[in-house]
Amino acid sequence: PTYHVSLRYWSAQLMKRRMSEADGDSNCQPVLQICDPHMHCWDAQEKVTKFNNHILGDCGSYLPSDYRADMQLTGGDLKLRACVHVEAFPTDQVEETRWIQSLRSEEFPVAAIV
């Protein structure tokens, strides 16, 4: 979804510019290690988590591969050290937690689930 991409992309661009200007180096390309404190995953095929509601409508799926693709839009300037998954309108909170735990990997380092 576009709202994930835009926020991360422009925040990273702004941070890069500020760091470059502070160092007086217009070619500075810092790699920022981050913890994303609020993110969601959902799968239209999963019965546990459906991000389809009356406010947002049908949002399809947003999985770790989609998240990684969004992170690449920053030009590789952000390194995800950890993230916090926030429930995404689950029909069963326990099952959603189990599902998110099953998605954890080195590339998708979920540090907490709330």
Side-chain angles (χ1 to χ4, degrees):
T2 306
Y3 58 90
H4 283 279
V5 176
S6 298
L7 178 59
R8 286 194 184 95
Y9 178 78
W10 292 114
S11 294
Q13 294 302 313
L14 179 60
M15 181 64 79
K16 262 187 3 184
R17 183 175 300 133
R18 286 181 181 168
M19 291 177 75
S20 295
E21 290 171 356
D23 290 341
D25 180 2
S26 61
N27 294 321
C28 180
Q29 296 295 319
V31 174
L32 301 175
Q33 296 187 25
I34 65 164
C35 172
D36 186 339
H38 183 137
M39 60 86 55
H40 301 280
C41 280
W42 61 90
D43 188 342
Q45 304 306 310
E46 281 288 327
K47 300 301 180 211
V48 234
T49 300
K50 289 237 180 226
F51 206 73
N52 303 331
N53 64 38
H54 66 282
I55 298 170
L56 299 175
D58 184 357
C59 295
S61 295
Y62 191 79
L63 301 170
S65 57
D66 300 305
Y67 187 86
R68 282 191 301 275
D70 283 352
M71 293 293 283
Q72 289 303 313
L73 292 175
T74 68
D77 296 332
L78 299 180
K79 177 176 172 51
L80 182 66
R81 294 293 305 254
C83 62
V84 176
H85 181 272
V86 179
E87 71 177 24
F89 303 103
T91 52
D92 182 324
Q93 288 86 357
V94 174
E95 285 302 312
E96 182 192 48
T97 300
R98 287 185 183 130
W99 177 64
I100 294 299
Q101 285 282 68
S102 76
L103 299 176
R104 291 176 80 184
S105 70
E106 190 173 311
E107 292 182 341
F108 189 63
V110 178
I113 301 170
V114 293

